[in-house]
């Protein structure tokens, strides 16, 4: 998954839907259980990023993986890292804050 974020600026110039397409490519054939098991990898990917745009794109992937998993069960790895993720994503601005709120709402999470 990390390879999707190498030279992303170039890829985005060639295809303005690059990240949308990447998310669809990653999630389109996932079974719910596989998507649920992918959550820790996506969380690590989010926390590794330093650029606001990429942080929010990775967080959107987390949302989509959760939608495919079709559960409101809070993954233990998410619970362990939720404060760090929230801080990291919310630091990108209002859009990041709205995305964190969306995840918390989906999971009925009050952290």
């Amino acid at each position: 998954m990390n390879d999707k974020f190498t030279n992303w600026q170039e890829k985005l110039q060639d295809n303005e839907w690059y990240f949308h397409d990447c998310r669809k490519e990653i999630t389109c054939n996932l079974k719910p259980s596989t998507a649920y098991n992918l959550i820790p990898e996506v969380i690590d990917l989010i926390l590794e990023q330093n650029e606001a745009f990429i942080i929010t794109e990775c967080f959107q992937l987390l949302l989509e993986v959760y939608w495919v998993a079709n559960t409101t069960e809070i993954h233990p790895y998410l619970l362990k890292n939720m404060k760090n993720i929230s801080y990291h994503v919310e630091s990108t601005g209002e859009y990041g804050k709205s995305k964190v709120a969306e995840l918390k709402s989906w999971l009925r999470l009050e952290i």
Side-chain angles (χ1 to χ4, degrees):
M1 219 177 330
N2 273 335
D3 63 318
K4 302 280 185 206
F5 298 93
T6 305
N7 300 320
W8 66 269
Q9 294 95 334
E10 256 178 52
K11 295 171 184 173
L12 194 58
Q13 272 187 329
D14 292 340
N15 173 8
E16 68 182 284
W17 292 96
Y18 175 72
F19 287 110
H20 172 270
D21 295 347
C22 285
R23 288 191 305 271
K24 294 302 171 203
E25 181 182 321
I26 291 167
T27 61
C28 74
N29 292 318
L30 288 180
K31 293 180 180 175
S33 60
T34 306
Y36 186 79
N37 291 330
L38 188 61
I39 290 170
E41 187 176 342
V42 177
I43 289 169
D44 288 342
L45 183 65
I46 294 165
L47 294 174
E48 291 169 3
Q49 305 310 312
N50 296 314
E51 296 183 50
F53 178 73
I54 298 300
I55 292 168
T56 57
E57 289 295 332
C58 291
F59 196 80
Q60 184 62 41
L61 175 61
L62 179 63
L63 290 172
E64 292 184 27
V65 166
Y66 247 111
W67 294 329
V68 172
N70 197 28
T71 185
T72 57
E73 180 181 339
I74 302 166
H75 194 287
Y77 196 73
L78 175 65
L79 190 58
K80 177 182 171 187
N81 289 283
M82 191 64 204
K83 287 183 183 181
N84 288 337
I85 292 167
S86 294
Y87 176 77
H88 195 59
V89 177
E90 289 175 350
S91 71
T92 66
E94 290 305 312
Y95 181 71
K97 289 178 185 178
S98 72
K99 289 295 161 180
V100 170
E102 186 177 340
L103 178 65
K104 287 180 177 181
S105 175
W106 171 264
L107 299 176
R108 297 176 299 233
L109 193 60
E110 294 295 324
I111 291 181

